[in-house]
Structures are given as C-alpha cells and as structure tokens.
Amino acid sequence: MSATLPAPRGARRAASVLLRPAAKPLLFVASLLPFAWLLYGALANTLGANPAEALIRATGDWTLRFLCLTLAVTPLRQWTGQPALLRFRRMLGLFAFFYGVLHFLCYAWLDMGLVLADIARDIPKRPFALVGFAALLLMAPLAATSFNRAIRALGAKRWQALHRLVYAVALLAILHFFWMRSAKHNYAEVAVYAAILAVLLGWRLVARLRRRPVTAG
C-alpha cells in the first residue's frame, strides 16, 4: 500500500492562514472598503463632475466583481487544493447581493428620486434596467437561503438546485453591463468580465460533462 504524500509546505502554510479565525473578519472588512471609499467620496464630493453616475457605475462594477469572486471559489479550490477557500464563498456571495442592492438603490434614488411609480414605468422600458432588475430579484432568494438553517430546511439537493440560479444571475449581469456600455460604444471592460465569466462557467460545464456517465450504444 502506498503512503499518502504530505502536502507541500507552501500549501500547508496557505491552509493554515485560510483557517485562522481572523481570516473571515479580515475578508469582511476588505469587502466593505469599496463601500467606505464610495461613501467618503460622496460626502467629500470627490466623485467627479457627475457623482450620481459615478456611484451607480461603481456599485454595479463591484456587484459584478463579487459575483466573479464568488464563482471563482470552487475552481480555485480545485486548482490550488485548498478546500478551506469554501469558507469564504458565502460571504462573497452576500457581498455581491449587498453591492447589487446598493446599485439599485443608487439608481432608484439618484436617477428616479425614489418615486416608485416612475421606477415601475422606467424598468420595463429599458432592456438594460430590466435584465439588471431581474438579476437582483434572482439574487434575493440566494442571499436569503445562504445560511445553514436554510440548507437543512430545503434539503441539500433542493438547495443546490436553487443556488444554480447564480449562473443565470451572472449571465444577466454581464448582459446588463453590455447594454449599459453599448450607449457609449465602450466594450473593453465588458470583454474582460465576459472572458472571466466564460472561464468560470465553462470550467463548470466541462466538469459536469466529465462526471456524466457514458451510456452504451
């Protein structure tokens, strides 16, 4: 019987860091830094000539970044052999929802003056607003069921099926971003995020196809 090879020293050190009690609080604080910076910029009037647009765009960008980070956890865990990375997926997903809510609130307040009737008329008229709002609605049940009690209540299979909605959220988010930037014919950032999401979702598709049993005939 062959002995199991010990993990490399670097991998053991990385696992030790990821498992430390301070790791989650540090990630929490780091994830709040963009919000703190935007809040400071709004209060200090350092967001440029159009602070409303800057806030709406920045909160949307951070929503997409946290979505990418959330989706990156599982591939990174596989590639690096660090199962401890899964400890942070829930928090990253919740921050994606947090910045998504901020993005919508900035639009509703700074663009629409919090007039609900105007918001209800505006969203269906503009495709980018409609798909963005749809993505936020799909994120809501994911955030609400991201806790252990919800997993026990739903059962593991139903919970996993529900949380596969994150793939639809990611596709709607990138479509929202594309339509937002199409008005100014600026697709450079869209292409970067689309490439990242293509890798992350493509990896999942390949992994699923490899797990599927081959039928004879």
Side-chain angles (χ1 to χ4, degrees), residues 140-148 150-151 154 159 162-163:
L142 305 187
T145 59
S146 63
F147 304 99
N148 292 334
I151 300 173
L154 289 171
W159 185 88
L162 174 64
H163 278 252

Side-chain angles (χ1 to χ4, degrees), residues 196-213:
I196 292 170
L197 287 174
V199 170
L200 296 175
L201 298 180
W203 177 87
R204 284 169 166 81
L205 179 60
V206 170
R208 182 161 187 163
L209 290 175
R210 285 178 176 172
R211 289 196 301 267
R212 182 176 296 174

Side-chain angles (χ1 to χ4, degrees), residues 115-163:
V115 180
L116 295 181
D118 290 346
I119 295 169
R121 282 193 297 267
D122 185 64
I123 288 175
K125 284 195 306 185
R126 299 199 278 180
F128 77 88
L130 185 60
V131 298
F133 187 62
L136 184 62
L137 288 180
L138 290 179
M139 290 174 74
L142 305 187
T145 59
S146 63
F147 304 99
N148 292 334
R149 185 178 295 178
I151 300 173
R152 290 193 296 269
L154 289 171
K157 286 187 177 180
R158 281 187 293 179
W159 185 88
Q160 288 174 352
L162 174 64
H163 278 252

Side-chain angles (χ1 to χ4, degrees), residues 27-144:
L27 178 62
F28 184 84
V29 172
S31 299
L32 278 176
L33 288 178
F35 170 71
W37 179 252
L38 290 172
L39 182 62
Y40 167 78
L43 295 175
N45 197 24
T46 61
L47 295 177
N50 192 341
E53 182 181 355
L55 284 170
I56 294 170
R57 178 176 294 183
T59 51
D61 288 347
W62 280 107
T63 303
L64 195 49
R65 287 166 189 161
F66 274 99
L67 269 174
C68 290
L69 287 172
T70 304
L71 289 169
V73 169
T74 299
L76 285 175
R77 175 180 68 88
Q78 297 269 343
W79 296 336
T80 62
Q82 294 292 342
L85 285 169
L86 287 177
R87 300 179 64 219
F88 310 107
R89 185 171 59 186
R90 178 187 302 174
M91 186 184 299
L92 291 170
L94 287 172
F95 268 106
F97 181 64
F98 170 72
Y99 282 103
V101 170
L102 285 180
H103 182 55
F104 176 75
L105 289 177
C106 287
Y107 152 77
W109 178 26
L110 302 174
D111 257 11
M112 308 304 296
L114 288 179
V115 180
L116 295 181
D118 290 346
I119 295 169
R121 282 193 297 267
D122 185 64
I123 288 175
K125 284 195 306 185
R126 299 199 278 180
F128 77 88
L130 185 60
V131 298
F133 187 62
L136 184 62
L137 288 180
L138 290 179
M139 290 174 74
L142 305 187

